[in-house]
Amino acid sequence: MSEPLPRIKRYEDLGLGLFIHWGLYSQLAVGEWTEFIHHRSRSEYEKLIATFTANQFDAEAIAHAAKMMGAKYIVLTTKHHEGFFLYDTKGLSSFDVMHSPANRDLIAEFVAACRKEGLLPFFYVATYDWHSPLYEENFPAYLDYLKASVEVLCRHYGPVGGFWFDGNWNKKEADWQLPALYGMIRKYQPDAIIVNNTGLKNRGKVSDPEIDVVTYERRTPDEIYHGAPNAKYVAGEISMTLNQHWGIATNDLNYKSPAEVIETVAHARHIGANILVNIGLTGQGAIPASAKTYMALLGRWTTMAAPALYRGRPTAIVSGQGARDFVLHADAHDYLCVFDLKVVGNDNVVLGGEGVNPRSFVGIDRPIESVYWLDNEEYLSFTQDLHKRVLTVDATGYPYGSDWVVRIAQIDYKSENRTVKSD
């Protein structure tokens, strides 16, 4: 396998990102595809621009919440399939935020807020477009329109993390003139990551040589395709919603449990993928209360897991019991990621975490000095058979009053100094 390019290596170190869906559809709060799925007439739907005030959009508050969640980057919809731009298109289109009551460049605010919090801004750009008649009537002209809109993003916001395209799957056989589009990005943003979502039916496919990341929308695969042998190394990215929709949907109560969210983030890192956790802003740009709660809960876990989470890479070490447990390697340390532990109680409140809980791992051939939990720095009893390359740890249950869902222990090998937890 080829070595990743520096920009792809930096991207993989980001680990976790926040995905934000926001547009005119957010005012209706019934999902981002409402214009298409609910058969709304374009003329009536586009009147929503007249009520788009963005008066609750606080980019700095959003970026800070993302940082507290543990995100290292944010992907924001600069334009979804509805065709409405959240930025000043410099005269390219009248269907942009400057022609709404908001009358301010929301992407400029977003980029500035990300930089203040030390996050990388990524631009989502829908290539499939319901607004522009050129998409169906004159596709080459539409591609010029698309390229011009991306050029505005390339030239007016300084260096950005990357571009996240979505929609080429709608015209599978069309010539999207990708060399021209991607070449323009490389000219103005040489270090930007290029992602093009291949959709639900082509997850993990490399659609063009310039692609840096393959996507796995709404799926957690068992492995990531990093490209053909001797070809360019590509990273992988999973994306997940908190409920069933990407844009805010007030009546969608089918939320994932916080435990499932944490386990999915952990699994993504297990297979060497980044992960985007999505929220949909309200019609006027606020984070919904439910999303705030999920982001705060995830943030508690990512703070604990930070030494392994971001720079951690998959290893060949496997669980000896067929459990979901796995091992990551980061900065000269291995980290045991342990699932399905119980809370320690007593005779009156038995929670199942009492007693010895041996977990074995196969593939470790270096002598170990110590193993300890990251959450409370409790040292764990262990035995090691170097000949068989087997480590068995007494994975103690959670202290009463805690349950981290996925608990992480750091291994210190002999002749190495123990490191202090760091972000």
Side-chain angles (χ1 to χ4, degrees):
M1 185 181 298
S2 302
E3 284 294 312
L5 295 171
R7 67 172 179 269
I8 297 177
K9 171 64 168 62
R10 290 191 296 268
Y11 167 83
E12 290 188 318
D13 285 344
L14 299 175
L16 172 65
L18 178 67
F19 209 171
I20 300 177
H21 277 68
W22 187 37
L24 299 183
Y25 49 82
S26 303
Q27 296 178 83
L28 301 173
V30 289
E32 73 288 352
W33 272 64
T34 179
E35 180 182 0
F36 187 92
I37 290 177
H38 294 146
H39 307 290
R40 301 180 189 273
S41 71
R42 188 169 69 187
S43 59
E44 286 299 310
Y45 179 85
E46 291 178 355
K47 290 179 181 178
L48 289 169
I49 192 174
T51 52
F52 189 78
T53 67
N55 59 9
Q56 296 178 347
F57 180 70
D58 183 341
E60 291 190 1
I62 291 170
H64 183 70
K67 184 175 183 178
M68 292 300 98
M69 185 187 90
K72 300 296 186 183
Y73 64 112
I74 304 177
V75 181
L76 175 61
T77 50
T78 66
K79 181 198 77 160
H80 207 264
H81 304 310
E82 64 180 4
F84 176 68
F85 297 93
L86 291 180
Y87 60 97
D88 182 355
T89 59
K90 310 297 184 184
L92 179 67
S93 173
S94 61
F95 199 50
D96 71 5
V97 70
M98 306 309 292
H99 291 81
S100 75
N103 192 32
R104 64 190 214 264
D105 190 328
L106 302 173
I107 297 304
E109 295 176 18
F110 161 67
V111 170
C114 285
R115 294 203 174 109
K116 181 178 180 181
E117 292 291 346
L119 306 177
L120 278 178
F122 277 63
F123 296 150
Y124 170 107
V125 178
T127 56
Y128 175 27
D129 190 306
W130 303 325
H131 167 76
S132 174
L134 295 175
Y135 186 82
E136 297 296 345
E137 298 171 7
N138 188 342
F139 192 61
Y142 171 76
L143 293 179
D144 290 339
Y145 170 75
L146 172 65
K147 182 183 174 186
S149 71
V150 175
E151 185 171 348
V152 172
L153 293 172
C154 284
R155 297 180 62 185
H156 294 280
Y157 299 94
V160 299
F163 292 81
W164 210 101
F165 294 104
D166 185 23
N168 292 32
W169 37 261
N170 180 254
K171 287 183 180 287
K172 301 181 184 65
E173 306 305 322
D175 178 4
W176 283 87
Q177 299 179 24
L178 295 179
L181 177 63
Y182 296 160
M184 183 266 295
I185 293 173
R186 293 282 179 241
K187 174 182 176 181
Y188 294 112
Q189 298 277 347
D191 294 325
I193 289 292
I194 296 178
V195 186
N196 199 322
N197 181 28
T198 45
L200 295 175
K201 296 179 181 179
N202 290 288
R203 289 173 288 206
K205 302 295 184 182
V206 178
S207 57
D208 186 89
E210 284 297 332
I211 291 297
D212 296 314
V213 180
V214 292
T215 59
Y216 297 82
E217 181 180 345
R218 295 184 185 271
R219 183 186 169 203
T220 52
D222 292 328
E223 62 181 359
I224 296 296
Y225 178 69
H226 289 295
N230 302 317
K232 175 185 173 182
Y233 176 99
V234 295
E237 183 180 72
I238 293 168
S239 53
M240 68 177 300
T241 55
L242 296 178
N243 54 16
Q244 300 299 300
H245 294 78
W246 298 97
I248 187 171
T250 303
N251 292 332
D252 179 0
L253 309 183
N254 190 8
Y255 280 81
K256 298 173 176 65
S257 70
E260 183 179 350
V261 175
I262 290 169
E263 288 182 348
T264 304
V265 171
H267 177 75
R269 300 311 280 159
H270 177 202
I271 60 175
N274 283 23
I275 182 165
L276 288 174
V277 176
N278 177 78
I279 64 172
L281 301 185
T282 66
Q284 301 310 332
I287 301 176
S290 57
K292 286 183 179 179
T293 299
Y294 274 77
M295 292 172 71
L297 288 171
L298 182 55
R300 293 189 67 82
W301 184 83
T302 58
T303 298
M304 178 276 295
L309 180 64
Y310 300 104
R311 296 175 65 83
R313 294 293 189 272
T315 69
I317 303 167
V318 298
S319 170
Q321 298 147 313
R324 295 193 289 169
D325 306 339
F326 62 89
V327 179
L328 294 175
H329 180 80
D331 299 323
H333 292 282
D334 287 328
Y335 293 89
L336 311 179
C337 301
V338 181
F339 291 68
D340 305 317
L341 293 176
K342 302 295 184 181
V343 178
V344 176
N346 62 21
D347 291 343
N348 297 308
V349 185
V350 178
L351 300 177
E354 304 77 16
V356 178
N357 188 4
R359 300 292 178 99
S360 294
F361 300 88
V362 180
I364 299 176
D365 54 8
R366 299 168 61 192
I368 293 171
E369 179 72 31
S370 61
V371 182
Y372 62 94
W373 293 126
L374 291 182
D375 59 274
N376 64 358
E377 297 194 336
E378 173 192 359
Y379 282 85
L380 305 180
S381 300
F382 68 92
T383 59
Q384 184 178 19
D385 186 327
L386 286 173
H387 178 68
K388 295 182 178 179
R389 304 168 69 222
V390 174
L391 166 68
T392 301
V393 177
D394 178 11
T396 55
Y398 294 111
Y400 186 73
S402 66
D403 187 330
W404 293 97
V405 182
V406 181
R407 202 173 190 188
I408 301 177
Q410 178 172 310
I411 296 176
D412 282 344
Y413 292 102
K414 289 186 177 179
S415 77
E416 294 178 356
N417 295 322
R418 181 180 169 187
T419 60
V420 178
K421 293 187 293 182
S422 62
D423 192 340

